[in-house]
Amino acid sequence: MTNISPEEVKQRLDKGETLNLIDVREPHENAQFNIGGKLLPLGKIQSMQIEDIEGLRDKEVILYCRSGNRSGIAAMTLDQLGFTNTKNLTGGMLAWQEKFKS
């Protein structure tokens, strides 16, 4: 797992790049604000209910949550399950909203 900044993700999205974004928050958090990631709560990742993202094992996967803690845990879990290029969005949605006032 490596970290990726909100600025880098936003820059890549603004360029039109397709990113594999995974939101590990709960559904109610995702409904309040999200940046378009696939919702896959941390609990599902920890219980290995990851069939929806199996095809991403060898691709870059950017995980995010509210503050970066849960997504860091999710990234480490996916690394242990054989994912080879996980990235944690530093500061999560709190940092994103602060930096971009979204």
Side-chain angles (χ1 to χ4, degrees), residues 47-58:
S47 62
M48 293 186 273
Q49 297 174 15
I50 60 167
E51 52 278 344
D52 291 350
I53 62 167
E54 285 289 345
L56 302 177
R57 282 187 182 270
D58 295 319

Side-chain angles (χ1 to χ4, degrees), residues 69-84:
N69 292 326
R70 285 177 283 176
S71 53
I73 293 167
M76 287 188 287
T77 301
L78 290 178
D79 287 350
Q80 292 170 351
L81 294 173
F83 284 72
T84 60

